[in-house]
Amino acid sequence: MRNAPPTPANYIQRAGRAGRRLRTGFVSTFCGVQPHDRHVYDDPAWLVRGEFRPPRVTVSNDRIVQRHVRSFALEELNADFSWLMGDLLADRQDPATLDPERLRDLIARLRASQARTAARAASLFREVPGAQQAVRDFPSDLEAVVEAWHAQVRRVHEEFRALERILSTREVEQRRRARQRAYAELTIDRNKAHVLSYLADTGLLPSYQFPTDTFALDPGVADTPTLRRPAWIALFEFAPGNLVYANGHKLKSIRAFFNGGGGRQRTADATVERYSFCNRCGFAAASVRNDCPRCGASIVTNEPVALLESFEAEENTSITSAEDARQRLYFQRR
């Protein structure tokens, strides 16, 4: 193990991989310079004492339940979902316009079956008050996801065309091939561009590990696919200026895309909402409040908040054996 696992449960899980083929294994752990690794080095028995914290699953999370309701609504259609997101384009070589027929037919079928599906969802998800509303909102939610996908496809395609017109250098060629890879992922990749896979990745349908939200990082290199992380990890791992390690590359996050902002920088037409923040307890709301409904303190902080969409990186250097520990920036999160 290249570093000390965070908990005994992680250690046992990783150690259990050794010796599966020959039924004989040897497990060694190399401790780095971080405080956790130094603690394990000083007290190695801590990793094997068997003190495990049982995993917990919160079944009352409305966002996660809504995704299962939407999945149920699609299942009720008994439709063919073997198509790719690129099939929504009128021309895959020029993503300027969408082919309205496929999306229009899906939206129409969802709306036509809405009453029956909402009634069945209310029966199946009895303890979830928002199940019926999730069915009613599904068509508009789906349209919003497709609209955001189309904007991203157009941006990647425009950047690829712009790079084609620039005098070719090693850096330009790398970025051009990275845009080719990103465009293929969004449109024709059999795994990432499959309609159900894409809708799961964007949080419209259920996905692995039940993340509340996920964010994507375009690595900016041709041989590494788009990276996705749960929001609470992406918030600092993908933050511009931070280093991301993937597939033998040390990548540097260079920019964040703002929802509706066109990408390059924060612009006047970016989606910016004014939030109220309580400085005492941390309450936040997308509206102007005078007093905190949680602790009763006066709210004096009202700030514009730009809603992030995704991130982009470029290659900083390759990972070498000379690096003992990964470099990280640290941020204050509130």
Side-chain angles (χ1 to χ4, degrees):
M1 301 186 198
R2 190 178 177 275
N3 50 25
T7 70
N10 301 113
Y11 177 80
I12 294 298
Q13 189 272 331
R14 294 186 192 179
R17 298 177 182 178
R20 288 187 177 184
R21 181 177 302 172
L22 302 177
R23 300 185 182 278
T24 302
F26 179 82
V27 180
S28 58
T29 303
F30 293 86
C31 296
V33 298
Q34 296 85 355
H36 174 72
D37 284 39
R38 292 171 65 182
H39 162 69
V40 172
Y41 185 81
D42 291 336
D43 184 16
W46 177 83
L47 274 180
V48 293
R49 285 191 190 119
E51 299 172 5
F52 302 120
R53 295 181 181 178
R56 295 185 300 168
V57 178
T58 302
V59 296
S60 60
N61 188 310
D62 292 340
R63 304 278 295 280
I64 293 176
V65 173
Q66 286 168 4
R67 293 173 190 174
H68 285 272
V69 172
R70 297 187 193 111
S71 180
F72 169 71
L74 290 183
E75 184 180 359
E76 287 291 282
L77 297 181
N78 194 26
D80 175 18
F81 289 104
S82 61
W83 45 280
L84 305 175
M85 292 298 293
D87 294 332
L88 294 173
L89 297 173
D91 182 358
R92 288 186 182 178
Q93 305 305 316
D94 182 6
T97 57
L98 291 173
D99 180 3
E101 290 302 320
R102 188 182 292 272
L103 182 61
R104 186 184 299 160
D105 177 65
L106 178 56
I107 296 295
R109 294 187 63 180
L110 283 172
R111 287 185 170 137
S113 62
Q114 209 166 62
R116 175 173 52 84
T117 303
R120 292 202 61 192
S123 174
L124 289 171
F125 301 89
R126 286 187 296 273
E127 298 180 6
V128 183
Q132 290 180 300
Q133 189 62 43
V135 173
R136 288 191 286 267
D137 292 342
F138 190 16
S140 58
D141 292 340
L142 178 59
E143 288 176 322
V145 167
V146 171
E147 182 180 343
W149 169 83
H150 190 212
Q152 186 178 5
V153 167
R154 293 199 310 269
R155 172 180 59 78
V156 171
H157 185 263
E158 288 167 4
E159 290 183 358
F160 171 75
R161 292 302 184 196
L163 290 168
E164 277 195 323
R165 295 190 291 269
I166 298 176
L167 181 65
S168 181
T169 64
R170 179 182 177 277
E171 181 183 356
V172 169
E173 177 61 19
Q174 183 183 65
R175 294 184 63 188
R176 190 182 68 82
R177 288 189 292 111
R179 292 296 171 272
Q180 272 187 313
R181 186 262 314 147
Y183 188 78
E185 275 188 14
L186 289 166
T187 56
I188 61 173
D189 186 282
R190 297 302 305 179
N191 293 319
K192 295 182 178 296
H194 184 276
V195 57
L196 297 181
S197 296
Y198 184 82
L199 295 181
D201 284 342
T202 55
L204 201 67
L205 298 180
S207 58
Y208 180 65
Q209 290 186 335
F210 308 105
T212 305
D213 283 306
T214 59
F215 284 90
L217 174 81
D218 185 333
V221 291
D223 63 348
T224 303
T226 298
L227 306 175
R228 285 191 174 271
R229 298 286 187 274
W232 68 276
I233 295 178
L235 181 65
F236 60 90
E237 187 172 317
F238 291 169
N242 211 353
L243 294 172
V244 180
Y245 294 78
N247 199 27
H249 300 286
K250 184 163 70 174
L251 311 168
K252 185 172 185 178
S253 181
I254 58 173
R255 60 174 169 166
F257 293 100
F258 292 93
N259 187 9
R264 294 287 175 184
Q265 58 187 359
R266 179 173 169 178
T267 58
D269 63 341
T271 299
V272 176
E273 294 185 18
R274 185 162 290 277
Y275 271 68
S276 299
F277 296 94
C278 176
N279 295 328
R280 178 190 289 177
C281 73
F283 171 82
S287 60
V288 177
R289 303 286 185 94
N290 294 323
D291 299 312
C292 176
R294 179 184 294 166
C295 70
S298 296
I299 289 182
V300 296
T301 304
N302 291 281
E303 298 289 347
V305 175
L307 305 180
L308 293 180
E309 186 179 70
S310 59
F311 301 84
E312 182 187 345
E314 63 182 13
E315 186 172 31
N316 184 270
T317 184
S318 297
I319 301 175
T320 68
S321 58
E323 293 186 66
D324 291 330
R326 296 187 174 189
Q327 301 176 47
R328 292 288 189 210
L329 293 180
Y330 293 91
F331 303 88
Q332 182 185 52
R333 289 178 289 161
R334 294 189 298 169

